[in-house]
Each structure stands twice: as structure tokens, then as C-alpha cells.
Amino acid sequence: MMNSELWLVVPAAGIGQRMKAECPKQYLRISDRFILDITLSRLLDSAPFKGCMVPLSAQDHWWPDSESAKDNRIQTCTGGKERADSVLSALHALDEQADDNDWVLVHDAARPCLHPHDLANLIDTLFEHPVGGLLAAPVTDTLKQAGEGVTPEVEQTVDRSRLWRALTPQMFRFGALRAALESALENGHAVTDESSAMEFSGNMPLLVEGRADNLKITVPSDLALAEFILGRQ
Ligand code: CTP
Ligand code: MG
């Protein structure tokens, strides 16, 4: 395990439907830089990655204008219909370069606020672990289970003491993640993160506590929040 290399996959093939912008959200700007460029440069400058693969949409015509397009640490490939398809296509594109026992970290392009300390802590905590895991944050709100309808009745209050929000990066062994994603997709399972694919194949990823401000820019109001968080770091 001593010789395991680190690889980075940053899925950026989404269209950002909920953001309602005129371009995919990873190409919106914060301090005059693409979100995607902020995310990628922060990651690549903070850990010793052997290589980086970014799956892009076949319709993407913004990438050539990015700083990342000029960064020779970064390779691109064509993503897929769902996030999991994009991640799997990136793993296939890295197949020749990566060893099955290497680590791959998958991080959403739409999460520019990842703190370098969280990245370092994730890698340190998991490096000798057989499976891997993910950054996550304990839920802080009181959680309600709802009935049907637009203004539903509360059915019950859910115990939140063991509930965590899954963040990224998520860090797994290259070969195991590729196999887990392939089998989850073949079996028609909904895979919204890498951990769920690993869980489905019987693995037990670790939850590594990370900062709650590692937000995924999703709706328009998130843009100002991300700008604020980045300004404070
Ligand atoms: N992603 C991807 N390929 C897809 C869908 C999503 O690479 N087919 C990427 C997005 O670009 C994003 C990350 O996965 O960086 C997290 O997905 P999400 O936040 O859902 O982004 P979008 O799918 O673009 O947004 P929306 O769901 O609002 O359309
Ligand atoms: Mg999406």
C-alpha cells in the first residue's frame, strides 16, 4: 500500500438545471474566475496527485476558455448521462495509467470551497484503509418526515444523531470503485455518490468529518454564499 498513487476525478459534465443560469454552473464566475478553475487549482495545489481527469459534456464549449485547459496536470474525457456515468468514463479514461490499488479522489466541480485542511485530513485518515471513505458533516437541523402534498403534515421527527450529509471528495481504491460503479449501473441502482456504489457492493466506507461550509453550488443563492466562504478562507 506504500506505493499507492493518488488520482483525481472532477466530474464537470452536468448542465446545472437547478441553477437556472445561461451556462452550466461550473462556468459561472467568482472573483472573475470560473468555479471549475477555482475548484481544480485548489485541489491540485494542495495534494500530490499523479494525474487528474475531468469528464466534460459533449456539448461543452466553455472549457477552451478556462485556465484549466492550459494546465498540463489536467486531462479531459467525455462524461455521461448521470454523474455516475461521468465518473465511470473518467475511470475508464485513466485505466491505462492507474493501478487498481491506487487511490482515486472524486470531487464535484461545483464545490469550490473545499478547505485544503479537509483534503489533507481525508487523505491522511484513509491512506492505509482497505476501502476508503468520504468527507461528511453531521446533520444539524431537526429533521421531519413528511406526509403527502405541498404543505404536508409532519409524520414524525427523525432521530438525527447518526445522520450525516455526504460531501466530496470521496476516496476509494481505483479498481474497487470502477467495479462497484460498473455493477451498480448494470443493476440499475440509483448512484448519487461513489460511496453508495461501494456500499451496494458490500463495502463499508468511513465517514471523515469535514467542514459544513464545503457547499455544493446548486441553486442561485449558493453563489453569493460560496463567494463569502472563499473570501473568508
Ligand atoms: N455531473 C457530471 N455528469 C452528469 C451530471 C453531473 O459530471 N451527467 C457533475 C456536475 O457537473 C457537478 C457534479 O456532478 O459538478 C454534481 O452534480 P450536480 O450538483 O447535480 O450538478 P448538475 O447535475 O450540473 O446540476 P443539476 O442537477 O441542478 O442539473
Ligand atoms: Mg445533477
Side-chain angles (χ1 to χ4, degrees), residues 14 16 18 25 82-83 216:
R18 287 168 289 180
K25 60 192 180 183
E82 305 292 338
R83 184 181 175 285
K216 188 180 72 164

Coordinates of all heavy atoms in Angstrom, one line a residue, residues 14 16 18 25 82-83 216, ligand 2:
G14 N -22.2 18.1 -15.9 CA -23.6 18.4 -15.7 C -24.0 19.7 -16.3 O -23.2 20.5 -16.8
G16 N -26.4 21.8 -14.7 CA -26.8 22.8 -13.7 C -28.2 23.3 -13.8 O -28.4 24.5 -13.7
R18 N -30.8 23.3 -11.9 CA -31.4 24.0 -10.7 C -30.8 25.4 -10.5 O -31.4 26.2 -9.9 CB -31.2 23.2 -9.4 CG -32.1 21.9 -9.4 CD -31.6 21.0 -8.3 NE -30.4 20.3 -8.6 CZ -29.8 19.4 -7.8 NH1 -30.3 19.2 -6.6 NH2 -28.7 18.8 -8.1
K25 N -23.3 25.6 -14.3 CA -22.9 26.4 -13.1 C -21.4 26.4 -12.9 O -20.8 27.3 -12.3 CB -23.6 25.9 -11.9 CG -23.3 24.4 -11.5 CD -24.3 23.9 -10.5 CE -24.0 22.4 -10.2 NZ -25.0 21.9 -9.2
E82 N -25.7 10.6 -16.4 CA -25.7 10.9 -14.9 C -24.3 11.1 -14.4 O -23.3 10.7 -15.0 CB -26.4 9.7 -14.2 CG -27.7 9.3 -14.7 CD -28.8 10.4 -14.4 OE1 -28.6 11.2 -13.5 OE2 -29.8 10.4 -15.1
R83 N -24.2 11.7 -13.2 CA -22.9 11.9 -12.6 C -22.1 10.6 -12.5 O -20.9 10.6 -12.8 CB -23.1 12.5 -11.2 CG -21.8 12.8 -10.4 CD -22.2 13.3 -9.0 NE -21.0 13.6 -8.2 CZ -20.3 12.7 -7.7 NH1 -20.6 11.4 -7.8 NH2 -19.2 13.0 -7.0
K216 N -22.1 22.6 -2.0 CA -22.2 22.3 -3.5 C -23.1 23.4 -4.1 O -24.3 23.5 -3.7 CB -22.8 20.9 -3.7 CG -22.7 20.5 -5.2 CD -23.3 19.2 -5.4 CE -24.8 19.2 -5.3 NZ -25.5 18.0 -5.9
Ligands
MG2 MG -27.4 16.8 -11.1

